[in-house]
Amino acid sequence: LDYPVDAILCDVGQNRVIGINYHRSGRSKKARDITYFDAETLEVKAAFNLSFGLDETSSATFAVDPVDGTLYMHTEGSDQIKVLRSPDKRSGTNVRLAGVRHPVGLVIDGEGRFLLSNSGTLVVLERDGSPSQSIFNRIAVGKSFQILQPYSNFEPGMRASAFYNVPPEGPRVP
């Protein structure tokens, strides 16, 4: 790679690691390179550059859908999420987010729903951007929030849901 990886996403379902690096491109643009690595060999499988409309002041959040491996990008304050890479040929399209005012962040839960901070409260949306019925809607959250995911790793024998939240060395018995 020409630049160091600044962020890493794990796509357990597709057995790959996604690296994102930020670097200057010209005088004011900030380019983002996305690189797909094989999770076992770390061999580069694919790479592409995003330089469309992103500048030094843009704050983008990237997330991978654990259901189908689709890679999404959300730019702070935007009412749209960009589909960067998708197995169903939606790459390059946008998902319009219904009922948001100033959304920031992006997390995708285990069912493929979008979770964002919307003017300080959590909003849960379906994949098509429509509101989702969730008990988590309207919970107060900050600008930078996380949804804890089930523990997972790339150990081939530990991918079934029975192994979620079990460390690689096995469960500890008190």
Side-chain angles (χ1 to χ4, degrees), residues 5-105:
V5 174
D6 295 306
I8 296 174
L9 299 167
C10 294
D11 184 357
V12 177
Q14 303 292 320
N15 194 34
R16 62 186 177 185
V17 175
I18 303 168
I20 302 168
N21 50 348
Y22 307 89
H23 63 273
R24 292 185 68 76
S25 173
R27 290 196 89 169
S28 63
K29 295 242 179 191
K30 199 171 190 182
R32 286 153 166 94
D33 291 332
I34 311 294
T35 307
Y36 288 96
F37 301 92
D38 180 273
E40 293 173 20
T41 65
L42 292 181
E43 177 184 340
V44 174
K45 293 295 184 182
F48 61 100
N49 177 270
L50 303 176
S51 57
F52 49 80
L54 296 174
D55 60 29
E56 301 261 343
T57 62
S58 295
S59 179
T61 306
F62 297 86
V64 64
D65 187 335
V67 176
D68 67 2
T70 298
L71 180 62
Y72 294 95
M73 180 187 77
H74 178 251
T75 304
E76 183 175 327
S78 174
D79 68 346
Q80 297 185 39
I81 294 175
K82 188 160 197 70
V83 180
L84 299 179
R85 287 291 190 253
S86 175
D88 64 2
K89 309 269 191 278
R90 291 181 301 137
S91 298
T93 63
N94 292 321
V95 176
R96 182 165 300 281
L97 306 174
V100 296
R101 291 181 303 281
H102 187 78
V104 296

Side-chain angles (χ1 to χ4, degrees), residues 67-144:
V67 176
D68 67 2
T70 298
L71 180 62
Y72 294 95
M73 180 187 77
H74 178 251
T75 304
E76 183 175 327
S78 174
D79 68 346
Q80 297 185 39
I81 294 175
K82 188 160 197 70
V83 180
L84 299 179
R85 287 291 190 253
S86 175
D88 64 2
K89 309 269 191 278
R90 291 181 301 137
S91 298
T93 63
N94 292 321
V95 176
R96 182 165 300 281
L97 306 174
V100 296
R101 291 181 303 281
H102 187 78
V104 296
L106 174 62
V107 174
I108 302 175
D109 72 7
E111 297 176 17
R113 294 178 296 194
F114 302 131
L115 293 94
L116 300 102
S117 175
N118 181 39
S119 299
T121 60
L122 187 67
V123 62
V124 182
L125 303 168
E126 298 295 336
R127 282 187 195 173
D128 64 0
S130 65
S132 178
Q133 297 298 318
S134 172
I135 61 171
F136 299 109
N137 278 319
R138 295 192 305 265
I139 291 176
V141 294
K143 185 175 183 178
S144 205

